[in-house]
Amino acid sequence: MPLRITALVIVTLALLGGIALAQERDLPERGPVERLVAHEWGVFVLEQGRVAHLEEIGAELPAFVHRGAGPLAGPPGPPPRPGPRPRPGPRPGPVARKPVLFLYADAPMAVRVEVGFAGGEPWFHYPVARRVQSALAPNAAGLVWDVHVAPGARPGFAAVSPGHFWEDLRRVGADPVLGADGTAEAFLFYDGPVAFERPFLIGRHGTGAAVTPVSSERTLFLVDRGMYAESEVDRAGWRAVPRSSGDMVALRSRLDAELRARGLTAAESASLLDTWRDDLFTDPRPRAVYFVPRDAYDRMLPLRITPAPTELTRVALVIDRM
Protein backbone atom coordinates (compact mmCIF):
# COMPACT_ATOMS: atom_id res chain seq x y z
CA MET A 1 0.00 0.00 0.00
CA PRO A 2 1.40 3.46 -0.84
CA LEU A 3 2.50 5.81 1.89
CA ARG A 4 -0.34 7.88 3.31
CA ILE A 5 -1.05 10.68 5.76
CA THR A 6 -1.45 9.88 9.43
CA ALA A 7 -2.42 12.13 12.31
CA LEU A 8 1.01 13.79 12.71
CA VAL A 9 2.30 16.08 10.04
CA ILE A 10 2.43 13.41 7.70
CA VAL A 11 2.85 14.55 4.28
CA THR A 12 1.46 12.37 1.56
CA LEU A 13 4.35 11.31 -0.02
CA ALA A 14 18.60 16.99 -4.53
CA LEU A 15 26.94 25.33 -22.05
CA LEU A 16 28.01 26.28 -24.92
CA GLY A 17 26.24 29.13 -26.65
CA GLY A 18 26.92 32.85 -26.39
CA ILE A 19 24.97 35.57 -24.67
CA ALA A 20 23.07 36.16 -27.90
CA LEU A 21 20.87 33.24 -26.91
CA ALA A 22 19.75 35.00 -23.72
CA GLN A 23 16.06 35.10 -24.60
CA GLU A 24 16.01 31.41 -25.53
CA ARG A 25 17.60 30.62 -22.14
CA ASP A 26 14.99 32.69 -20.28
CA LEU A 27 17.67 35.20 -19.25
CA PRO A 28 16.97 38.94 -19.15
CA GLU A 29 17.72 40.83 -22.35
CA ARG A 30 21.22 42.23 -22.62
CA GLY A 31 21.55 45.83 -21.44
CA PRO A 32 24.12 48.49 -22.30
CA VAL A 33 26.29 47.59 -19.28
CA GLU A 34 28.36 44.43 -19.07
CA ARG A 35 26.52 41.78 -17.09
CA LEU A 36 27.61 38.68 -15.25
CA VAL A 37 24.78 36.27 -14.48
CA ALA A 38 25.42 33.27 -12.19
CA HIS A 39 22.91 30.45 -11.75
CA GLU A 40 23.64 27.42 -9.57
CA TRP A 41 21.82 24.28 -8.57
CA GLY A 42 22.82 21.51 -6.18
CA VAL A 43 21.26 18.30 -4.85
CA PHE A 44 21.56 16.74 -1.38
CA VAL A 45 20.84 13.04 -0.91
CA LEU A 46 19.80 11.43 2.39
CA GLU A 47 19.39 7.68 2.64
CA GLN A 48 18.23 6.42 6.03
CA GLY A 49 21.24 7.97 7.71
CA ARG A 50 23.82 6.67 5.26
CA VAL A 51 25.98 9.16 3.43
CA ALA A 52 27.37 8.25 0.03
CA HIS A 53 31.03 7.25 0.22
CA LEU A 54 33.84 9.00 -1.61
CA GLU A 55 34.38 5.97 -3.83
CA GLU A 56 30.72 5.83 -4.84
CA ILE A 57 30.63 9.46 -5.88
CA GLY A 58 33.97 9.27 -7.66
CA ALA A 59 32.77 6.36 -9.76
CA GLU A 60 30.02 8.57 -11.20
CA LEU A 61 32.40 11.28 -12.39
CA PRO A 62 34.54 11.59 -15.53
CA ALA A 63 38.17 10.65 -14.99
CA PHE A 64 39.35 14.21 -15.64
CA VAL A 65 37.54 15.66 -12.59
CA HIS A 66 40.02 16.73 -9.91
CA ARG A 67 39.94 14.67 -6.70
CA GLY A 68 40.34 16.27 -3.28
CA ALA A 69 40.70 15.03 0.28
CA GLY A 70 38.53 12.48 2.06
CA PRO A 71 35.46 12.80 4.27
CA LEU A 72 34.95 14.79 7.45
CA ALA A 73 36.99 13.88 10.50
CA GLY A 74 33.91 14.06 12.73
CA PRO A 75 30.12 14.32 12.49
CA PRO A 76 28.30 17.66 12.30
CA GLY A 77 26.23 18.98 15.17
CA PRO A 78 22.63 17.83 15.73
CA PRO A 79 19.75 19.55 13.92
CA PRO A 80 17.54 22.02 15.80
CA ARG A 81 14.84 20.47 17.98
CA PRO A 82 11.23 21.31 17.11
CA GLY A 83 10.10 21.45 20.75
CA PRO A 84 8.15 18.56 22.23
CA ARG A 85 7.32 17.02 18.85
CA PRO A 86 8.86 13.59 18.14
CA ARG A 87 11.65 13.60 15.63
CA PRO A 88 13.73 11.01 13.76
CA GLY A 89 17.19 10.15 14.97
CA PRO A 90 20.10 12.32 13.78
CA ARG A 91 21.85 11.59 10.54
CA PRO A 92 25.39 12.46 9.50
CA GLY A 93 25.95 15.47 7.27
CA PRO A 94 25.09 14.60 3.69
CA VAL A 95 27.16 15.32 0.62
CA ALA A 96 26.39 18.31 -1.57
CA ARG A 97 25.97 16.36 -4.79
CA LYS A 98 26.93 17.85 -8.11
CA PRO A 99 26.54 21.56 -7.43
CA VAL A 100 27.04 23.21 -10.81
CA LEU A 101 27.48 26.93 -11.43
CA PHE A 102 26.54 28.33 -14.84
CA LEU A 103 27.95 31.71 -15.87
CA TYR A 104 26.68 34.11 -18.55
CA ALA A 105 28.49 37.31 -19.52
CA ASP A 106 28.07 40.13 -22.03
CA ALA A 107 31.78 40.17 -22.83
CA PRO A 108 34.89 38.11 -22.04
CA MET A 109 35.94 38.71 -18.45
CA ALA A 110 38.14 37.36 -15.68
CA VAL A 111 36.11 35.99 -12.78
CA ARG A 112 37.07 34.68 -9.35
CA VAL A 113 34.69 32.23 -7.67
CA GLU A 114 35.14 31.23 -4.02
CA VAL A 115 33.04 28.61 -2.21
CA GLY A 116 33.34 27.39 1.38
CA PHE A 117 32.20 24.04 2.79
CA ALA A 118 30.74 24.80 6.24
CA GLY A 119 31.56 21.87 8.51
CA GLY A 120 33.11 20.00 5.61
CA GLU A 121 35.54 20.13 2.72
CA PRO A 122 35.70 19.69 -1.06
CA TRP A 123 36.05 16.23 -2.50
CA PHE A 124 35.86 16.94 -6.23
CA HIS A 125 35.97 19.94 -8.55
CA TYR A 126 36.40 20.98 -12.17
CA PRO A 127 38.00 22.94 -13.82
CA VAL A 128 41.08 23.21 -11.65
CA ALA A 129 40.70 25.27 -8.46
CA ARG A 130 42.89 26.07 -5.47
CA ARG A 131 41.98 24.32 -2.23
CA VAL A 132 42.17 26.90 0.60
CA GLN A 133 41.23 27.51 4.18
CA SER A 134 37.91 29.20 3.51
CA ALA A 135 37.52 32.88 4.29
CA LEU A 136 33.75 32.43 3.96
CA ALA A 137 33.08 29.57 6.40
CA PRO A 138 34.91 29.46 9.76
CA ASN A 139 37.27 26.51 10.26
CA ALA A 140 36.34 25.01 6.90
CA ALA A 141 38.09 24.27 3.65
CA GLY A 142 37.07 25.86 0.39
CA LEU A 143 37.85 26.25 -3.29
CA VAL A 144 38.93 29.25 -5.36
CA TRP A 145 38.66 29.33 -9.15
CA ASP A 146 40.32 32.01 -11.28
CA VAL A 147 38.71 31.61 -14.68
CA HIS A 148 37.87 33.52 -17.82
CA VAL A 149 34.27 33.54 -18.97
CA ALA A 150 34.31 33.45 -22.77
CA PRO A 151 30.91 34.17 -24.36
CA GLY A 152 30.74 33.04 -27.97
CA ALA A 153 33.88 30.89 -27.71
CA ARG A 154 33.82 27.29 -28.86
CA PRO A 155 36.68 25.62 -26.97
CA GLY A 156 37.20 21.91 -26.99
CA PHE A 157 35.88 20.08 -23.94
CA ALA A 158 37.23 16.84 -22.49
CA ALA A 159 35.41 13.81 -23.88
CA VAL A 160 32.81 11.95 -21.82
CA SER A 161 31.04 8.68 -22.57
CA PRO A 162 27.73 8.95 -24.48
CA GLY A 163 24.76 9.35 -22.16
CA HIS A 164 26.84 10.55 -19.20
CA PHE A 165 25.13 13.18 -17.02
CA TRP A 166 28.00 15.57 -17.87
CA GLU A 167 26.36 15.92 -21.30
CA ASP A 168 23.13 17.10 -19.64
CA LEU A 169 25.09 19.91 -17.99
CA ARG A 170 26.86 20.96 -21.18
CA ARG A 171 23.56 21.25 -23.04
CA VAL A 172 22.42 24.14 -20.85
CA GLY A 173 24.09 26.71 -23.11
CA ALA A 174 25.95 28.78 -20.52
CA ASP A 175 29.13 30.56 -21.53
CA PRO A 176 32.36 28.52 -21.50
CA VAL A 177 34.82 29.03 -18.67
CA LEU A 178 38.56 28.69 -19.23
CA GLY A 179 40.44 27.32 -16.24
CA ALA A 180 43.83 28.40 -14.92
CA ASP A 181 45.42 25.27 -16.42
CA GLY A 182 44.04 25.94 -19.91
CA THR A 183 41.16 23.47 -19.70
CA ALA A 184 37.67 24.59 -20.62
CA GLU A 185 34.23 23.59 -19.41
CA ALA A 186 30.66 24.81 -19.72
CA PHE A 187 30.21 25.27 -15.95
CA LEU A 188 31.99 25.06 -12.61
CA PHE A 189 31.51 21.79 -10.75
CA TYR A 190 32.21 20.82 -7.13
CA ASP A 191 31.19 18.16 -4.64
CA GLY A 192 31.79 17.46 -0.95
CA PRO A 193 30.25 17.07 2.50
CA VAL A 194 28.81 19.90 4.60
CA ALA A 195 27.07 20.19 7.96
CA PHE A 196 23.58 19.98 6.52
CA GLU A 197 20.76 22.21 7.80
CA ARG A 198 17.61 20.15 7.40
CA PRO A 199 14.47 21.96 6.23
CA PHE A 200 12.34 19.07 7.55
CA LEU A 201 12.83 16.21 9.99
CA ILE A 202 11.31 13.17 8.36
CA GLY A 203 10.77 9.65 9.64
CA ARG A 204 8.62 6.63 8.85
CA HIS A 205 5.31 6.40 10.68
CA GLY A 206 3.47 3.21 9.81
CA THR A 207 2.67 3.52 6.12
CA GLY A 208 3.24 7.26 6.18
CA ALA A 209 5.89 9.84 6.88
CA ALA A 210 6.09 11.90 10.06
CA VAL A 211 7.31 15.38 9.12
CA THR A 212 8.38 18.28 11.32
CA PRO A 213 9.30 21.58 9.62
CA VAL A 214 12.40 23.25 11.10
CA SER A 215 12.94 26.00 8.52
CA SER A 216 11.01 28.47 6.41
CA GLU A 217 10.48 25.88 3.67
CA ARG A 218 6.92 24.57 3.37
CA THR A 219 6.67 22.71 0.04
CA LEU A 220 7.19 18.95 0.25
CA PHE A 221 6.63 16.11 -2.22
CA LEU A 222 6.12 12.53 -1.06
CA VAL A 223 6.84 9.91 -3.74
CA ASP A 224 5.95 6.23 -3.64
CA ARG A 225 5.29 3.51 -6.25
CA GLY A 226 5.16 5.77 -9.26
CA MET A 227 2.89 8.40 -7.72
CA TYR A 228 3.46 11.62 -5.83
CA ALA A 229 1.52 14.01 -3.64
CA GLU A 230 2.59 17.56 -2.89
CA SER A 231 1.65 19.28 0.33
CA GLU A 232 2.21 22.60 2.02
CA VAL A 233 3.30 21.94 5.61
CA ASP A 234 2.13 24.48 8.17
CA ARG A 235 4.56 26.07 10.61
CA ALA A 236 3.35 24.12 13.62
CA GLY A 237 3.86 20.84 11.79
CA TRP A 238 0.39 19.61 12.69
CA ARG A 239 -1.19 19.41 9.29
CA ALA A 240 -0.39 19.29 5.60
CA VAL A 241 -2.51 21.03 2.96
CA PRO A 242 -2.65 19.03 -0.31
CA ARG A 243 -1.55 21.00 -3.37
CA SER A 244 -1.04 18.59 -6.29
CA SER A 245 -0.65 14.90 -7.06
CA GLY A 246 -0.10 12.57 -9.98
CA ASP A 247 2.34 10.25 -11.72
CA MET A 248 6.02 10.78 -12.44
CA VAL A 249 5.35 12.73 -15.64
CA ALA A 250 3.26 15.14 -13.59
CA LEU A 251 5.94 15.27 -10.88
CA ARG A 252 8.60 16.26 -13.40
CA SER A 253 6.35 19.02 -14.71
CA ARG A 254 5.63 20.26 -11.19
CA LEU A 255 9.31 20.21 -10.15
CA ASP A 256 10.27 22.02 -13.36
CA ALA A 257 7.74 24.75 -12.60
CA GLU A 258 9.07 25.07 -9.03
CA LEU A 259 12.71 25.18 -10.12
CA ARG A 260 11.96 27.89 -12.66
CA ALA A 261 9.92 29.87 -10.14
CA ARG A 262 13.00 29.81 -7.86
CA GLY A 263 15.15 31.36 -10.59
CA LEU A 264 16.56 28.67 -12.88
CA THR A 265 16.13 28.86 -16.63
CA ALA A 266 14.25 26.15 -18.51
CA ALA A 267 17.54 24.60 -19.67
CA GLU A 268 19.07 24.69 -16.19
CA SER A 269 15.98 23.09 -14.68
CA ALA A 270 16.08 20.37 -17.33
CA SER A 271 19.76 19.71 -16.55
CA LEU A 272 18.93 19.03 -12.89
CA LEU A 273 15.93 16.85 -13.69
CA ASP A 274 17.82 14.91 -16.37
CA THR A 275 20.92 14.42 -14.20
CA TRP A 276 18.78 13.11 -11.33
CA ARG A 277 16.06 11.40 -13.40
CA ASP A 278 16.63 7.94 -11.90
CA ASP A 279 16.67 9.11 -8.28
CA LEU A 280 13.66 11.39 -8.76
CA PHE A 281 11.41 9.45 -11.11
CA THR A 282 12.30 5.74 -11.41
CA ASP A 283 13.66 4.72 -7.99
CA PRO A 284 11.11 2.30 -6.48
CA ARG A 285 11.90 3.33 -2.90
CA PRO A 286 9.64 5.81 -1.09
CA ARG A 287 11.19 9.24 -0.74
CA ALA A 288 10.51 12.84 0.14
CA VAL A 289 11.62 15.60 -2.22
CA TYR A 290 11.91 19.19 -1.05
CA PHE A 291 13.96 22.38 -1.34
CA VAL A 292 16.56 24.04 0.89
CA PRO A 293 15.82 27.66 1.84
CA ARG A 294 18.24 30.04 0.15
CA ASP A 295 19.62 31.40 3.43
CA ALA A 296 20.47 27.86 4.61
CA TYR A 297 22.11 27.02 1.28
CA ASP A 298 24.24 30.16 1.54
CA ARG A 299 25.35 29.19 5.07
CA MET A 300 26.26 25.63 4.10
CA LEU A 301 28.06 26.59 0.89
CA PRO A 302 28.90 30.30 1.12
CA LEU A 303 29.74 31.73 -2.29
CA ARG A 304 31.57 34.88 -3.40
CA ILE A 305 31.98 35.88 -7.05
CA THR A 306 34.22 38.74 -8.19
CA PRO A 307 33.13 40.88 -9.96
CA ALA A 308 29.80 40.64 -8.17
CA PRO A 309 27.18 39.22 -10.53
CA THR A 310 24.26 41.36 -11.55
CA GLU A 311 22.08 38.31 -10.96
CA LEU A 312 22.77 35.36 -8.65
CA THR A 313 20.42 32.39 -8.35
CA ARG A 314 21.09 29.36 -6.13
CA VAL A 315 18.63 26.47 -5.83
CA ALA A 316 19.13 23.31 -3.77
CA LEU A 317 16.95 20.20 -3.90
CA VAL A 318 16.87 17.34 -1.36
CA ILE A 319 16.09 13.70 -2.13
CA ASP A 320 15.32 12.07 1.22
CA ARG A 321 15.03 8.29 0.82
CA MET A 322 12.97 6.73 3.57
Side-chain angles (χ1 to χ4, degrees):
M1 178 180 295
L3 294 178
R4 56 181 174 81
I5 287 190
T6 72
L8 301 172
V9 139
I10 311 190
V11 185
T12 48
L13 253 209
L15 286 129
L16 308 176
I19 201 69
L21 299 178
Q23 289 179 312
E24 294 181 16
R25 296 195 301 257
D26 298 337
L27 293 173
E29 293 186 9
R30 167 168 36 177
V33 180
E34 289 185 4
R35 285 184 314 122
L36 176 63
V37 172
H39 287 183
E40 179 183 78
W41 62 253
V43 173
F44 295 87
V45 177
L46 306 177
E47 187 169 358
Q48 296 181 338
R50 188 183 69 85
V51 178
H53 294 294
L54 180 66
E55 294 78 10
E56 293 179 57
I57 300 171
E60 302 172 347
L61 300 177
F64 53 77
V65 172
H66 300 287
R67 270 62 176 169
L72 286 168
R81 291 180 177 272
R85 295 295 308 271
R87 66 181 181 91
R91 298 173 177 174
V95 174
R97 303 294 297 276
K98 303 181 179 65
V100 285
L101 179 65
F102 304 102
L103 298 172
Y104 309 86
D106 278 336
M109 64 175 66
V111 176
R112 171 167 288 186
V113 177
E114 304 169 66
V115 63
F117 290 70
E121 61 185 5
W123 280 352
F124 305 99
H125 66 274
Y126 194 79
V128 66
R130 290 184 288 115
R131 179 186 166 96
V132 298
Q133 184 69 27
S134 178
L136 306 177
N139 302 314
L143 294 171
V144 176
W145 287 267
D146 286 300
V147 299
H148 278 81
V149 183
R154 304 223 186 290
F157 296 144
V160 295
S161 57
H164 194 279
F165 77 82
W166 213 259
E167 292 183 329
D168 299 328
L169 306 179
R170 287 174 172 173
R171 277 193 289 268
V172 165
D175 292 326
V177 291
L178 310 180
D181 62 349
T183 57
E185 193 45 85
F187 49 88
L188 299 183
F189 168 90
Y190 60 94
D191 213 332
V194 295
F196 185 55
E197 297 185 28
R198 294 177 181 82
F200 300 98
L201 301 178
I202 299 179
R204 295 300 296 265
H205 185 85
T207 57
V211 177
T212 302
V214 290
S215 75
S216 60
E217 183 60 45
R218 295 290 170 261
T219 300
L220 190 145
F221 302 83
L222 204 63
V223 185
D224 187 30
R225 302 186 187 185
M227 301 296 292
Y228 88 94
E230 175 191 359
S231 294
E232 181 175 356
V233 182
D234 74 3
R235 290 182 178 274
W238 289 105
R239 63 189 178 90
V241 179
R243 295 178 64 183
S244 70
S245 61
D247 59 14
M248 294 299 94
V249 174
L251 175 60
R252 179 175 177 122
S253 177
R254 180 66 191 91
L255 288 175
D256 176 60
E258 189 68 25
L259 289 164
R260 294 171 68 177
R262 293 173 187 248
L264 297 185
T265 69
E268 291 161 355
S269 172
S271 73
L272 186 156
L273 298 175
D274 289 341
T275 298
W276 291 94
R277 62 174 69 88
D278 292 341
D279 299 83
L280 287 169
F281 307 122
T282 65
D283 190 337
R285 293 169 291 184
R287 57 203 175 274
V289 178
Y290 46 90
F291 293 88
V292 175
R294 172 62 185 272
D295 59 343
Y297 191 22
D298 287 341
R299 285 191 296 271
M300 290 185 290
L301 293 164
L303 177 70
R304 180 165 60 199
I305 301 175
T306 309
T310 51
E311 177 185 325
L312 174 60
T313 294
R314 308 186 81 194
V315 180
L317 187 73
V318 181
I319 301 171
D320 196 341
R321 298 171 183 149
M322 301 173 58

